[in-house]
């Protein structure tokens, strides 16, 4: 079989790229290791930057997002019983959209299938071959039978644990990583959100985040130990710990209920360079990971897809490879800024096990500076709504 772009990974990165290229008449195939339902069952991001929502509309899959998503023009930062707001709109003239990654992925799957997209599920043993040559090809198995796809380019959209990044030789790859000494325990519950904006909360006991998906679906997180497992946390234990970590006016108003999903994500900062090797391009989590504190994971995948989509379109329409040649440098320039914001917000709001009294004073001063300084709030807002592509 032959295609123009072979996309490995049927998460939001791979699906968005496939849908965008399809609308430009560029042929793709998407190879996904799991089933559609498995992919949709993973509860992840909740906040979309304006760049992401623009891409979804350009891909022709923005209707439900625009109808059901919630515009948020600010957020609450809390510390102990104190709190203050940061207005995105006041400082940037724009806002973010609350619309879960699950729904983004569902919309993309629906569009790909409605438009005859070539999606292959349950693939195994994917191999990328001759990426440095002019005739790359990908092999994989489904139900035990071997397949080969000849293509012009390969897009590695297969996440942190995928095969694409590993295909780039260690003599070429440079990896940068920071592991955090804590994780996030997340709970999804069919309860009304405790507040109409997100609440990022620093507390003596650790970080907490109050988020949502819709008027009756809330998403909450608490910082937890890396040695914890979801089974260590009963719903009751989770709710009472969350209440201890947010201002009492919210704790008293919190509507609790049974968790319909409970999971722990370890926090990691990670970047691999370069994001291109011959005819193989890395996108999204295949190339970089951020701690979710800044809501940058999915949104940084979007800017990668934007740059690669532009480069491939320029190549196929104008036989001009300038966009492809600039991809890695352009994508990394924005990736590192997302890494910086995610790292700084994580350090601002989390309790580290080895923090000294001086460290705590510095953390408190950082929060106080953000509360009291317009310029600091503008910087926070510009990063949160998304830096330009
Ligand atoms: P994904 O990992 O989503 O998708 C990659 C796909 O490739 C998967 O479907 C996988 O099955 C498939 N795949 C892997 N190996 C393959 C192979 N060899 N062959 C074929 N297919 C293969 N971001 C936020 O902004 N906020 C959050 O709260 C948040 N929470 C997260 C929680 C967890 C546990 C994780 C892991 C990430 C979280 N993220 C969050 C980040 C997340 O949203 C990612 O940024 C987003 O999923 C990136 O999308 P993709 O690049 O498509 O990668
Ligand atoms: C979420 O709603 O899942 C969410 C929101 C903001 C973040 C991280 C996760 O920073």
């Amino acid at each position: 079989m032959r295609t123009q772009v072979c996309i490995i990974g049927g998460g939001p990165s791979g699906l968005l790229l496939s849908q965008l290229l399809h609308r430009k008449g560029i042929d793709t195939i998407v190879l996904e290791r799991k089933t559609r339902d498995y992919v949709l069952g993973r509860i992840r991001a909740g906040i979309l930057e304006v760049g992401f929502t623009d891409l979804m509309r350009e891909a022709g899959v923005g209707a439900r997002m625009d109808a059901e998503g919630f515009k948020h023009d600010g957020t609450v930062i809390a510390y102990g019983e104190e709190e203050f707001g940061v207005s995105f709109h006041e400082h940037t003239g724009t806002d973010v959209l609350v619309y879960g990654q699950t729904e983004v992925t569902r919309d993309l799957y629906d569009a790909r299938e409605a438009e005859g997209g070539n999606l292959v599920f349950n693939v195994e043993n994917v191999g990328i071959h001759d990426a440095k040559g002019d005739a790359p090809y990908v092999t994989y198995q489904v139900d035990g039978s071997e397949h080969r796809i000849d293509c012009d380019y390969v897009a590695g959209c297969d996440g942190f644990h995928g095969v694409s990044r590993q295909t780039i030789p260690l003599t070429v790859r440079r990896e940068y990583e920071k592991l955090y000494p804590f994780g996030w325990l997340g709970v999804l519950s069919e309860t009304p959100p405790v507040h109409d904006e997100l609440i990022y909360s620093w507390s003596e006991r650790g970080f907490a985040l109050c988020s949502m998906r819709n008027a009756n679906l809330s998403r909450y997180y608490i910082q937890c130990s890396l040695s914890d497992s979801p089974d260590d946390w009963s719903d009751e234990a989770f709710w009472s710990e969350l209440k201890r970590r947010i201002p009492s006016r919210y704790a008293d108003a919190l509507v609790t209920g049974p968790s319909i999903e409970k999971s722990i994500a370890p926090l990691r900062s990670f970047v691999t360079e370069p994001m291109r090797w011959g005819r193989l391009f890395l996108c999204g989590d295949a190339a970089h990971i951020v701690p979710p504190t800044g809501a940058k994971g999915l949104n940084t995948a979007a800017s990668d897809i934007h740059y690669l989509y532009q480069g491939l379109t320029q190549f196929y329409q104008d036989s001009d490879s300038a966009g492809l040649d600039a991809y890695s440098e352009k994508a990394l320039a924005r990736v590192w800024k997302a890494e910086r914001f995610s790292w700084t917000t994580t350090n601002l709001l989390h309790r580290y096990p080895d923090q000294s009294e001086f460290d705590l004073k510095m953390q408190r001063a950082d929060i106080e500076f953000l509360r009291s300084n317009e310029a600091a709030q503008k910087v926070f807002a510009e990063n949160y709504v998304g830096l330009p592509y």
Side-chain angles (χ1 to χ4, degrees):
M1 179 198 175
R2 176 164 189 84
T3 189
Q4 289 172 300
V5 183
C6 182
I7 298 172
I8 303 173
S13 292
L15 294 168
L16 180 55
L17 179 63
S18 175
Q19 179 64 12
L20 285 163
L21 293 175
H22 166 71
R23 291 174 73 86
K24 292 288 187 185
I26 298 168
D27 189 50
T28 65
I29 184 170
V30 177
L31 304 180
E32 168 53 48
R33 181 169 61 179
K34 301 291 188 180
T35 64
R36 169 184 165 138
D37 287 345
Y38 184 94
V39 176
L40 292 174
R42 292 186 302 227
I43 306 300
R44 289 187 173 169
I47 302 293
L48 305 183
E49 295 175 356
V50 67
F52 193 112
T53 55
D54 286 348
L55 271 180
M56 288 287 283
R57 296 180 193 107
E58 182 171 354
V61 291
R64 192 164 76 98
M65 176 190 75
D66 287 330
E68 297 179 15
F70 293 78
K71 274 195 179 183
H72 275 214
D73 61 10
T75 188
V76 171
I77 308 280
Y79 51 117
E81 283 299 314
E82 311 272 335
E83 64 176 279
F84 61 93
V86 177
S87 168
F88 306 143
H89 210 82
E90 178 190 324
H91 294 294
T92 69
T94 186
D95 34 47
V96 294
L97 196 73
V98 172
Y99 189 69
Q101 175 171 325
T102 300
E103 303 318 312
V104 164
T105 310
R106 193 192 315 281
D107 293 340
L108 286 164
Y109 268 132
D110 289 348
R112 290 281 61 223
E113 285 164 2
E115 296 176 32
N118 197 344
L119 309 175
V120 183
F121 294 100
N122 296 313
V123 301
E124 296 177 311
N125 304 319
V126 170
I128 302 167
H129 310 275
D130 292 351
K132 281 297 273 181
D134 289 335
Y137 65 96
V138 174
T139 55
Y140 66 94
Q141 290 168 342
V142 170
D143 300 332
S145 58
E146 186 79 19
H147 298 265
R148 168 174 168 148
I149 300 172
D150 292 281
C151 53
D152 299 332
Y153 293 103
V154 181
C157 301
D158 47 351
F160 186 68
H161 301 290
V163 66
S164 299
R165 185 176 71 251
Q166 309 300 334
T167 301
I168 303 177
L170 279 171
T171 52
V172 174
R173 257 172 31 225
R174 292 180 306 283
E175 298 189 345
Y176 306 85
E177 183 170 62
K178 176 181 179 59
L179 301 176
Y180 296 83
F182 38 73
W184 277 20
L185 169 61
V187 157
L188 196 64
S189 62
E190 288 172 329
T191 54
V194 71
H195 189 47
D196 57 5
E197 284 186 336
L198 271 64
I199 302 169
Y200 288 84
S201 185
W202 178 96
S203 84
E204 294 282 351
R205 302 174 66 90
F207 170 77
L209 170 61
C210 301
S211 184
M212 75 274 301
R213 293 291 179 270
N214 61 48
N216 198 45
L217 192 59
S218 295
R219 181 68 168 164
Y220 294 104
Y221 297 95
I222 57 173
Q223 172 186 344
C224 67
S225 161
L226 286 175
S227 58
D228 281 1
S229 88
D231 295 341
D232 298 333
W233 287 86
S234 68
D235 286 357
E236 187 189 356
F238 177 84
W239 293 122
S240 62
E241 186 60 34
L242 176 65
K243 287 180 180 178
R244 290 190 189 102
R245 299 190 186 187
I246 58 179
S248 51
R249 82 182 188 98
Y250 298 115
D252 295 343
L254 184 71
V255 177
T256 64
S259 60
I260 58 174
E261 191 269 355
K262 190 183 289 175
S263 56
I264 290 180
L267 268 57
R268 175 199 313 265
S269 297
F270 176 87
V271 180
T272 193
E273 293 185 352
M275 287 176 57
R276 174 191 188 179
W277 187 59
R279 289 177 173 255
L280 169 62
F281 295 86
L282 303 183
C283 307
D285 278 19
H288 44 75
I289 297 285
V290 286
T293 322
K296 291 291 155 246
L298 182 57
N299 291 301
T300 309
S303 46
D304 295 347
I305 295 305
H306 167 80
Y307 299 132
L308 186 54
Y309 159 59
Q310 297 286 343
L312 288 166
T313 304
Q314 185 182 30
F315 173 77
Y316 282 110
Q317 291 185 348
D318 311 329
S319 304
D320 180 350
S321 65
L324 293 176
D325 296 341
Y327 169 76
S328 181
E329 185 180 350
K330 215 167 181 184
L332 282 166
R334 191 174 190 272
V335 163
W336 280 113
K337 295 187 185 90
E339 290 287 341
R340 186 202 70 80
F341 181 65
S342 306
W343 170 73
T344 50
T345 47
T346 300
N347 289 340
L348 180 73
L349 295 168
H350 288 72
R351 288 299 316 277
Y352 280 74
D354 57 354
Q355 266 176 317
S356 68
E357 287 306 310
F358 179 80
D359 295 335
L360 280 170
K361 282 290 187 185
M362 286 297 98
Q363 200 172 41
R364 191 61 181 256
D366 266 341
I367 295 173
E368 278 294 340
F369 183 66
L370 181 59
R371 184 186 59 74
S372 59
N373 185 283
E374 279 296 293
Q377 292 201 6
K378 183 173 173 58
V379 166
F380 182 96
E382 286 179 348
N383 279 277
Y384 198 94
V385 300
L387 298 177
Y389 282 9

